[in-house]
């Protein structure tokens, strides 16, 4: 079972994402803030991280940079989850070390398909090819 | 003659004839004796008188020389003081500056000198010079010489300006350090008379040339003959041969000689050097008496004096009288005596001849008387009383002796008289001079020491008063340097005096001779202010004396004391009140300032907090409002998908409405955030290059479902690839809005999006066959929150911000949105974008 770490401060959103991912058959780990996120990324060795950008202690970009700088596997795909209105967030997220981008509000009809896409990308990368 | 007239009354006696015939030889001896006696006695007496007379003359000549020496010294002292007065009073600076300036600019000399003559200062100097010359009379002259150029720049004789004196030794000498006054006698032109040149160097204050060496000199020129004439006049009563000669230190004659020189040479002054012992002594500066020969070779008695005038210059004074004249006086007396004697002898010989025989006792008596007379006793008389020849002879003899005695007495009286006169003259003269000297000194001392200011002016008719001098107190009272104003007109020094009637009062004093006095005159001008007690009175020689004292301090003190006494209480009250008011005013000002500063601080803080609040609001909106909406939309989505279990149709329909409303709310929030960001100027643009026709097709595709649900035909047209540099997301936002509106407001027909390239950029037209708009409605179209209600059309939901936001975004990207519409026929919205986003624009 693939393990997915969700870093999200809002309880409802955390539950929504957890619900959808568990329905999709993934093992879900939840972190409520950046600090927890970094610790769990190192401890649980997830296959994918969904990173909320607006967090109470530090923003998702900073968390991403710390994860990338930690002992965690540097091949873990990290996907930023943020609002449509934030112009330039996509570029900033990629620059901070994220591999992709999912807009809020999350569309349940396409969400699991996107998760599968990023998990596949990790497999491809391990095999030495680009998505 | 008288004796001859008595001759006919003589009656010769027989006894006398007998004596004559008997003793002819004795008679011859007697006659011889008588002759010797008669000649010898008066001669010896006259010889003695001559010596004492000569001594008198010598003494007199010496005294005269001394007097003349003093006279010459006085003359030059006067000359020097007059020159100094002129030099100090005349304001020569403007003339000298004008002259120097003119030469520097190489102005024409004639024009330059004419220009200088026209200067006001020149005319003032002329007036002053003429008033100084007044005492000398005649055609005397004052000049001012520029000693550097050797040129005359001022003269009382018009036409002498510009004379070149650069070759004069005296002019050159003035430029040597330490040289002061100089005297020279010169004949300026060969034919002219000899003039005395008194040269007095002055340094002008402005044109101070080489280390303060004077560059100007005042030249006082006097006709030497006229000047010295009073001195040359001997005035002794012995002018026949007496002469005074003046020589300079080279023994050059300064004034014409009385006698022609030997060899028919005319003694021209200044060309002839006197070659006598006395001249030599005078030149060497030795005073004394000389008995020698003069230039004619005549024996003379000479008194020599050396008159020192300046340290470098002196005059030799030679006073002389011919020995011949002194002797002639004595000889004349002797000749008269001899004449009388001779007549007596002739008469006696006749008597002897006629009365040869009468030589007895009377004759002896006569002889004895004659012997006594020979001894010098002129009071002896022959005591023959007989009425014969001898008696007559005795009478005649006696009268002859009487005559001699009278002559002798007369001579002595004359000498005594003259000597006494001379003594008196000398004593009186010395006394007057001494008195004059001490009076001068006393006057000077008094003027210096009096505690009042004293000013002396020189009056020039009709209304000029030039300042000549002032005592130290005058300077102290006025605060001026009196020396700075010497030679200036009264009205120039005290500019407001005329207005106060002072000038007229002074002029009145000069005209009438009546003193002027005022106890309290208030005077004020730019430099001087005060109250004065003034007295003015006329002096001889057109002089005005003004004495004054300051009473300002006394008056002020009185005034202040009075004021102080009268107003002390009121003053204290006023001051207290003033102080209180001032303090209150100060306090209120400080309070006011504090209040204002607090207000200002508050306003600033309010403005800052409002700004912060706005930024915080925008940030909150973007996160806090959207986060719950996101979860509403998300949960609604998964329930609708059936992920949480099956739904009834009613549940599905109602949950669909929740989802739509949530989506609409999210759109509204996003639009509000965009609008506030644009209005705050905080929109972040992300500029990149993309194909606009490609983007237009993507947007069209996203509306495909919505259009087909309404049964609308959706079209896309392009004239080829249209690559632009702009913000892709913002352009997309605009196109979504335009196309969304078109789909929303069109019920039947078609909606088209077409992309065309123009010269400046790209045009994207979104056209529909919808309800269209009226012109007046279109004006409100792009306003915020303006929802246009169109008759008969369904009310469609929207934020009311779409078009407003689109137009602002288009402008932000350097483009614009225009609209054309016709009710019932549809609308066309055109977005124009430049090829390249204009960097630096809002």
């Amino acid at each position: 079972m693939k393990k997915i770490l969700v870093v999200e401060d809002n309880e409802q959103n955390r539950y929504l994402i957890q619900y959808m991912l568990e329905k999709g058959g993934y093992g879900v780990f939840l972190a409520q803030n950046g600090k927890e996120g970094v610790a769990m990324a190192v401890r649980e060795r997830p296959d994918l991280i969904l990173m909320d950008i607006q967090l109470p202690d530090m923003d998702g970009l900073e968390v991403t940079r710390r994860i990338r700088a930690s002992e965690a596997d540097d091949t873990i795909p990290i996907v930023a989850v943020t609002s449509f209105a934030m112009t330039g967030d996509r570029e900033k997220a990629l620059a901070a070390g994220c591999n992709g981008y999912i807009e809020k509000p999350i569309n349940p009809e396409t969400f699991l398909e996107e998760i599968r896409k990023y998990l596949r990308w990790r497999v491809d990368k391990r095999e030495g090819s680009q998505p | 003659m008288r004796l001859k007239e008595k001759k006919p009354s003589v009656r010769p006696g027989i006894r006398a004839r007998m004596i004559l015939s008997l003793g002819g030889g004795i008679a011859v001896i007697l006659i011889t004796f008588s002759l010797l006696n008669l000649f010898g006695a008066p001669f010896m007496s006259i010889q003695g008188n001559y010596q004492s007379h000569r001594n008198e003359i010598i003494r007199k000549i010496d005294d005269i020389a001394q007097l003349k020496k003093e006279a010459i010294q006085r003359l030059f002292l006067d000359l020097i003081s007059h020159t100094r007065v002129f030099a100090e009073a005349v304001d020569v600076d403007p003339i000298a500056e004008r002259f120097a300036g003119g030469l520097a600019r190489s102005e024409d000399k004639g024009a330059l000198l004419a220009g200088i003559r026209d200067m006001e200062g020149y005319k003032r100097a002329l007036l002053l010079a003429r008033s100084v010359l007044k005492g000398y009379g005649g055609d005397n002259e004052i000049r001012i010489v520029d000693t550097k150029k050797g040129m005359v720049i001022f003269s009382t004789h018009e036409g002498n300006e510009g004379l070149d004196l650069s070759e004069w030794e005296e002019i050159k000498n003035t430029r040597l350090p330490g040289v002061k006054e100089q005297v020279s006698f010169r004949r300026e032109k060969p034919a002219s008379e000899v003039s005395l040149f008194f040269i007095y160097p002055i340094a002008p204050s402005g044109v101070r040339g080489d280390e303060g060496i004077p560059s100007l000199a005042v030249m006082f020129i006097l006709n030497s003959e006229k000047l010295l004439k009073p001195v040359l006049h001997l005035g002794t009563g012995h002018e026949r041969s007496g002469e005074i000669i003046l020589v300079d230190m080279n023994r050059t004659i300064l004034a014409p000689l009385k006698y022609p020189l030997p060899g028919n040479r005319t003694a021209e002054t200044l060309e002839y050097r006197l070659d006598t012992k006395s001249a030599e002594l005078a030149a060497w500066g030795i005073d004394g008496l000389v008995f020698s020969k003069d230039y004619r070779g005549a024996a003379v008695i000479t008194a020599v004096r050396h008159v020192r005038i300046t340290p470098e210059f002196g005059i030799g004074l030679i006073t002389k009288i011919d020995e011949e004249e002194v002797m002639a006086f004595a000889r004349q007396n002797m000749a008269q005596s001899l004449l009388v004697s001779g007549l007596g002898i002739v008469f006696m010989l006749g008597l002897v001849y006629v009365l040869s025989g009468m030589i007895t006792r009377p004759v002896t008596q006569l002889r004895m008387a004659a012997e006594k007379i020979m001894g010098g006793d002129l009071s002896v008389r022959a005591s023959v009383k007989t009425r014969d020849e001898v008696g007559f002879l005795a009478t005649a003899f006696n009268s002859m002796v009487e005559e001699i005695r009278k002559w002798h007495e007369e001579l002595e009286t004359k000498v005594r008289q003259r000597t006494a006169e001379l003594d008196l003259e000398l004593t009186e003269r010395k006394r007057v001079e001494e008195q004059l000297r001490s009076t001068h000194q006393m006057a000077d001392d008094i003027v210096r020491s009096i505690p009042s200011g004293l000013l002396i002016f020189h009056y020039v008719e009709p209304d000029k008063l030039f300042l000549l001098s002032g005592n130290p107190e005058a300077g102290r009272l006025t605060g001026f340097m009196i020396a700075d104003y010497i030679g200036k007109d009264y009205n120039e020094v005290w500019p407001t005096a005329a207005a106060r009637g002072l000038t007229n009062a002074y002029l009145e004093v000069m005209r009438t001779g009546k003193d002027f006095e005022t106890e309290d005159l208030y005077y004020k001008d730019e430099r001087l202010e005060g109250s004065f007690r003034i007295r003015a009175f006329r002096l001889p020689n057109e002089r005005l004396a003004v004495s004054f004292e300051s009473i300002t301090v006394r008056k002020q003190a009185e005034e202040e004391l009075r004021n102080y006494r009268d107003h002390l209480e009121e003053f204290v009250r006023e001051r207290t009140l003033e102080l209180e008011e001032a303090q209150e005013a100060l306090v209120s000002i400080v309070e006011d300032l504090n209040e204002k500063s607090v207000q200002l601080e508050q306003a600033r803080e309010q403005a800052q907090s409002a700004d912060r609040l706005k930024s915080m609001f925008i940030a909150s909106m973007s996160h806090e409002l959207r986060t719950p909406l996101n979860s509403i939309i998300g949960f609604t989505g998964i329930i609708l998908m059936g992920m949480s279990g099956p739904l009834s149709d009613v549940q599905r329909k109602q949950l669909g409405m929740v989802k739509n409303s949530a989506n609409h709310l999210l759109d509204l929030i996003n639009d509000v955030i965009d609008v506030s960001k644009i209005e705050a100027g905080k929109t972040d643009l992300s500029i990149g290059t993309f194909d606009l026709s490609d983007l237009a097709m993507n947007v069209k595709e996203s509306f495909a479902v919505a259009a087909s649900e309404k049964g609308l035909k959706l079209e896309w047209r392009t004239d080829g690839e249209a690559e632009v540099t702009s913000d892709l997301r913002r352009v997309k936002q605009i196109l979504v809005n335009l196309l969304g509106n078109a789909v929303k407001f069109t019920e039947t027909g078609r909606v088209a999006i077409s992309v065309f390239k123009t010269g400046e950029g790209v045009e994207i037209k979104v056209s529909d066959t919808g309800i269209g708009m009226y012109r007046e409605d279109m004006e409100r179209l792009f306003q915020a929150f303006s929802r246009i209600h169109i008759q008969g059309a369904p009310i469609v939901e929207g934020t009311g911000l779409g078009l407003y936001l689109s137009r602002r975004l288009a402008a932000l990207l350097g483009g614009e949105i225009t609209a054309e519409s016709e009710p019932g026929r549809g609308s066309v919205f055109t977005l124009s974008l430049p090829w390249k986003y204009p960097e630096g624009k809002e």
Side-chain angles (χ1 to χ4, degrees):
Chain A
M1 193 170 62
K2 300 281 184 189
K3 292 191 282 186
I4 296 176
L5 171 62
V6 178
V7 185
E8 168 67 67
D9 63 321
N10 183 271
E11 197 192 337
Q12 284 78 33
N13 274 335
R14 211 161 51 228
Y15 172 72
L16 176 67
I17 293 168
Q18 185 191 5
Y19 185 85
M20 283 193 285
L21 290 176
E22 281 173 356
K23 281 283 172 185
Y26 299 108
V28 180
F29 300 90
L30 297 169
Q32 290 186 28
N33 55 48
K35 212 173 161 187
E36 243 179 71
V38 177
M40 290 179 93
V42 173
R43 196 176 64 222
E44 303 296 335
R45 301 191 165 271
D47 296 292
L48 182 73
I49 301 173
L50 292 179
M51 181 69 68
D52 183 18
I53 294 302
Q54 281 161 316
L55 293 169
D57 58 343
M58 59 182 101
D59 73 14
L61 305 177
E62 181 58 30
V63 182
T64 305
R65 273 191 288 273
R66 290 195 184 188
I67 292 170
R68 288 288 182 230
S70 72
E71 298 160 29
D73 186 350
D74 64 351
T75 61
I76 304 172
I78 302 177
V79 177
V81 184
T82 190
S83 301
F84 160 79
M86 304 308 290
T87 310
D89 277 359
R90 186 194 294 263
E91 289 77 11
K92 280 184 211 163
L94 296 178
C98 294
N99 303 92
Y101 187 88
I102 294 173
E103 277 181 4
K104 281 183 186 175
I106 292 161
N107 186 349
E109 290 167 26
T110 56
F111 181 68
L112 287 176
E113 179 55 38
E114 283 198 76
I115 296 299
R116 275 194 289 277
K117 185 178 86 183
Y118 286 116
L119 282 170
R120 202 161 50 239
W121 173 78
R122 190 183 185 191
V123 175
D124 290 347
K125 197 179 178 189
R126 277 183 176 160
E127 288 164 0
S129 67
Q130 290 294 317
Chain B
M1 293 302 273
R2 221 168 7 153
L3 295 174
K4 271 189 179 172
E5 273 164 13
K6 285 182 178 176
K7 202 180 170 183
S9 65
V10 172
R11 284 183 291 124
I14 298 156
R15 196 173 43 157
R17 284 194 189 110
M18 282 171 67
I19 291 165
L20 190 69
S21 57
L22 284 172
I26 298 161
V28 170
I29 293 161
L30 269 174
I31 287 163
T32 309
F33 266 104
S34 298
L35 275 173
L36 275 171
N37 289 347
L38 282 169
F39 276 97
F43 184 75
M44 286 180 74
S45 164
I46 285 163
Q47 180 67 33
N49 288 331
Y50 169 71
Q51 276 304 334
S52 68
H53 177 59
R54 186 169 177 269
N55 286 340
E56 283 301 319
I57 296 276
I58 288 167
R59 212 185 77 198
K60 195 166 74 178
I61 287 282
D62 202 42
D63 283 341
I64 287 168
Q66 188 59 34
L67 277 175
K68 297 297 176 189
K69 174 180 178 173
E70 284 167 20
I72 289 174
Q73 273 170 340
R74 257 199 316 280
L75 195 100
F76 276 94
L77 272 177
D78 282 356
L79 182 62
I80 290 170
S81 74
H82 283 132
T83 312
R84 276 192 188 139
V85 162
F86 174 75
E88 269 157 41
V90 72
D91 182 16
V92 75
D93 291 7
I95 303 172
E97 275 164 28
R98 175 82 175 78
F99 179 75
L103 280 189
R105 287 190 297 274
S106 321
E107 274 180 40
D108 173 60
K109 200 171 120 187
L112 172 63
L113 292 168
I116 289 173
R117 263 201 304 278
D118 282 341
M119 289 169 68
E120 206 44 52
Y122 196 94
K123 286 173 183 166
R124 206 162 44 230
L126 263 184
L127 266 175
L128 191 72
R130 283 184 183 143
S131 94
V132 169
L133 281 175
K134 222 174 190 176
Y136 290 91
D139 51 352
N140 300 312
E141 186 182 348
I142 291 180
R143 290 174 187 168
I144 297 170
V145 185
D146 181 311
T147 53
K148 262 197 271 187
K149 304 280 173 195
M151 197 175 279
V152 177
I153 64 170
F154 167 90
S155 168
T156 49
H157 286 33
E158 191 173 330
N160 279 353
E161 314 90 342
L163 277 180
D164 182 8
L165 308 180
S166 56
E167 292 306 311
W168 283 33
E169 280 307 316
E170 297 88 338
I171 296 297
K172 290 178 189 166
N173 286 348
T174 57
R175 312 227 350 107
L176 299 173
V179 170
K180 290 186 174 165
E181 300 92 341
Q182 289 189 86
V183 184
S184 82
F185 288 83
R186 268 176 183 273
R187 211 186 285 278
E188 201 164 9
K189 291 168 200 141
S192 70
E193 290 178 302
V194 175
S195 297
L196 181 155
F197 288 83
F198 181 72
I199 296 158
Y200 181 80
I202 50 172
S205 58
V207 198
R208 197 171 285 280
D210 323 327
E211 294 88 40
I213 293 172
S215 59
L216 295 173
V218 170
M219 193 182 258
F220 209 112
I221 307 164
L222 298 167
N223 183 316
S224 107
E225 206 170 317
K226 277 184 192 164
L227 181 76
L228 297 173
K229 203 169 185 179
V231 179
L232 292 173
H233 182 72
L234 203 54
T236 61
H238 286 265
E239 290 91 335
R240 202 168 59 78
S241 71
E243 186 179 9
I244 291 180
I245 302 170
L246 296 177
V247 294
D248 69 6
M249 292 159 93
N250 295 320
R251 287 175 286 132
T252 306
I253 309 172
L254 300 178
L257 295 174
K258 190 167 179 174
Y259 305 102
L261 287 163
N264 288 334
R265 280 174 57 190
T266 320
E268 292 286 352
T269 49
L270 302 187
E271 277 101 61
Y272 191 80
R273 240 177 226 190
L274 200 59
D275 205 16
T276 61
K277 195 178 176 188
S278 50
E280 212 168 332
L281 289 176
W284 288 348
I286 296 168
D287 292 358
L289 280 166
V290 184
F291 307 94
S292 68
K293 292 187 172 156
D294 72 355
Y295 55 92
R296 295 166 297 163
V300 284
I301 302 170
T302 315
V304 173
R305 288 289 186 278
H306 186 80
V307 189
R308 179 68 55 177
I309 287 159
T310 70
E312 290 85 21
F313 184 84
I315 289 178
L317 178 81
I318 301 159
T319 310
K320 67 181 177 67
I321 188 161
D322 289 10
E323 291 272 18
E324 181 64 31
E325 190 182 351
V326 181
M327 216 127 65
F329 180 79
R331 264 199 218 109
Q332 196 190 356
N333 284 324
M334 200 164 74
Q336 281 174 337
S337 303
L338 284 174
L339 184 66
V340 173
S341 305
L343 284 172
I345 288 161
V346 169
F347 185 65
M348 240 168 61
L349 280 175
L351 273 182
V352 167
Y353 181 72
V354 177
L355 306 170
S356 53
M358 277 180 63
I359 310 156
T360 50
R361 194 174 49 94
V363 174
T364 311
Q365 276 182 338
L366 273 173
R367 189 184 60 87
M368 283 168 70
E371 271 173 356
K372 280 185 180 165
I373 288 166
M374 191 181 66
D377 187 3
L378 287 169
S379 64
V380 176
R381 297 293 181 272
S383 58
V384 179
K385 302 279 192 287
T386 52
R387 281 190 53 82
D388 60 0
E389 293 86 338
V390 178
F392 280 116
L393 177 64
T395 311
F397 178 78
N398 280 344
S399 72
M400 180 197 74
V401 172
E402 180 62 25
E403 281 295 302
I404 290 169
R405 191 190 59 78
K406 271 190 202 159
W407 276 107
H408 182 76
E409 254 177 25
E410 204 177 319
L411 178 64
E412 278 204 334
T413 311
K414 264 189 184 169
V415 168
R416 249 197 317 277
Q417 230 174 10
R418 196 57 206 134
T419 307
E421 271 172 33
L422 206 66
D423 278 346
L424 207 66
E425 194 182 310
L426 270 173
T427 316
E428 180 62 15
R429 205 146 180 174
K430 277 180 182 161
R431 195 180 63 77
V432 168
E433 268 168 29
E434 186 49 45
Q435 217 168 31
L436 208 64
R437 233 192 318 275
S438 80
T439 310
H440 268 300
Q441 187 57 45
M442 192 166 72
D444 270 1
D445 291 347
I446 290 169
V447 164
R448 230 193 321 279
S449 65
I450 53 172
S452 304
L454 184 70
L455 295 165
I456 306 292
F457 294 89
H458 182 83
Y459 171 64
V460 176
E461 280 183 290
D463 59 356
K464 291 282 172 208
L465 287 166
F466 295 109
L467 181 61
L468 274 186
S469 66
N471 69 350
E473 184 65 12
R476 200 186 64 76
L477 284 174
T478 56
F480 306 161
M481 283 296 294
I482 294 296
D484 290 350
Y485 292 89
I486 284 180
K488 294 248 160 58
D489 184 53
Y490 178 78
N491 287 322
E492 208 178 318
V493 186
W494 285 274
T496 68
R500 290 166 210 281
L502 267 186
T503 314
N504 271 336
Y506 293 162
L507 293 173
E508 200 57 28
V509 170
M510 289 314 289
R511 286 181 199 122
T512 63
K514 277 191 195 159
D515 291 1
F516 164 76
E517 189 162 4
T518 173
E519 272 305 309
D520 178 3
L521 183 121
Y522 174 71
Y523 180 87
K524 184 180 184 202
D525 65 27
E526 286 173 359
R527 301 163 303 181
L528 176 64
E529 179 178 3
S531 297
F532 297 95
R533 183 159 74 213
I534 301 177
R535 260 200 77 198
F537 44 98
R538 192 169 74 179
L539 298 176
N541 296 328
E542 304 290 302
R543 299 281 147 94
L544 172 77
V546 176
S547 77
F548 60 102
E549 289 165 34
S550 171
I551 54 167
T552 311
V553 174
R554 199 194 70 210
K555 275 198 66 165
Q556 278 174 352
E558 283 171 6
E559 184 70 21
E560 267 174 32
L561 201 63
R562 199 161 45 241
N563 280 344
Y564 188 69
R565 202 176 49 227
D566 292 351
H567 302 294
L568 189 61
E569 269 186 52
E570 200 181 332
F571 179 72
V572 168
R573 215 167 25 245
E574 273 176 17
R575 274 309 281 156
T576 313
L577 212 66
E578 270 172 31
L579 276 171
E580 279 169 8
E581 277 171 12
Q583 201 180 0
E584 275 170 28
L586 202 65
V587 166
S588 89
I589 286 171
V590 169
E591 280 173 357
D592 207 35
L593 276 176
N594 282 341
E595 202 178 318
K596 286 222 169 88
S597 124
V598 168
Q599 281 171 3
L600 211 65
E601 183 60 30
Q602 281 172 351
R604 202 171 62 85
E605 276 173 13
Q606 275 169 11
Q608 278 179 350
S609 75
D611 204 41
R612 264 202 307 275
L613 218 62
K614 195 171 174 179
S615 301
M616 273 168 64
F617 173 74
I618 293 166
S620 301
M621 286 288 265
S622 59
H623 183 66
E624 302 303 331
L625 290 181
R626 275 185 302 205
T627 302
L629 264 179
N630 283 339
S631 57
I632 291 169
I633 292 166
F635 283 116
T636 321
I638 59 171
I639 294 167
L640 277 171
M641 273 175 74
M643 219 183 269
S644 329
L647 290 167
S648 69
D649 283 352
V650 176
Q651 281 172 328
R652 189 179 299 276
K653 186 186 174 185
Q654 289 173 352
L655 207 58
M657 283 176 182
V658 172
K659 195 191 172 193
N660 273 345
S661 292
N663 275 331
H664 183 220
L665 187 58
L666 188 62
D667 286 347
L668 188 61
I669 288 166
N670 284 337
D671 280 359
V672 166
I673 290 168
D674 278 346
V675 165
S676 46
K677 275 192 173 173
I678 283 175
E679 287 182 347
K682 286 181 178 172
T683 316
D684 297 318
L685 291 179
S686 178
I687 303 301
T689 303
F690 55 93
D691 181 5
L692 206 51
S693 41
D694 200 30
L695 176 71
M697 194 185 70
N698 283 342
V699 172
K700 186 212 89 172
E701 284 305 315
S702 67
F703 281 96
V705 179
S708 67
E709 276 174 3
K710 287 182 88 172
L712 295 174
K713 200 177 172 191
L714 197 56
E715 291 172 3
W716 171 73
R717 282 195 289 270
T718 179
D719 61 353
E721 199 175 295
E723 200 161 85
V724 293
T725 303
S726 199
D727 186 329
L728 177 92
R729 285 167 55 88
R730 296 299 181 188
V731 175
K732 188 177 176 182
Q733 198 180 343
I734 295 168
L735 291 183
V736 165
N737 187 273
L738 292 179
L739 212 57
N741 280 345
V743 171
K744 218 186 279 176
F745 293 111
T746 307
E747 294 309 314
T748 54
R750 58 174 183 88
V751 170
I753 181 164
S754 44
V755 181
F756 301 105
K757 282 171 273 194
T758 67
E760 294 83 34
V762 188
E763 275 186 8
I764 306 123
K765 285 183 190 291
V766 178
S767 55
D768 61 60
T769 54
I771 51 176
M773 288 166 289
Y774 291 100
R775 184 162 291 277
E776 51 269 35
D777 290 331
M778 281 173 66
E779 284 169 13
R780 294 192 290 124
L781 195 63
F782 294 101
Q783 288 172 13
F785 300 107
S786 64
R787 307 282 309 269
I788 300 162
H789 176 68
I790 292 154
Q791 198 83 40
I795 296 171
V796 184
E797 46 181 36
T799 63
L801 284 171
L803 274 176
Y804 172 73
L805 192 60
S806 297
R807 184 169 235 198
R808 293 292 302 259
L809 283 173
L812 204 61
L813 295 170
E816 61 169 348
I817 297 173
T818 56
E820 295 163 60
S821 188
E822 212 177 305
R825 295 286 300 269
S827 311
V828 181
F829 286 83
T830 308
L831 166 69
S832 315
L833 278 179
W835 288 114
K836 207 168 163 148
Y837 166 72
E839 213 65 58
K841 223 187 147 196
E842 186 210 359

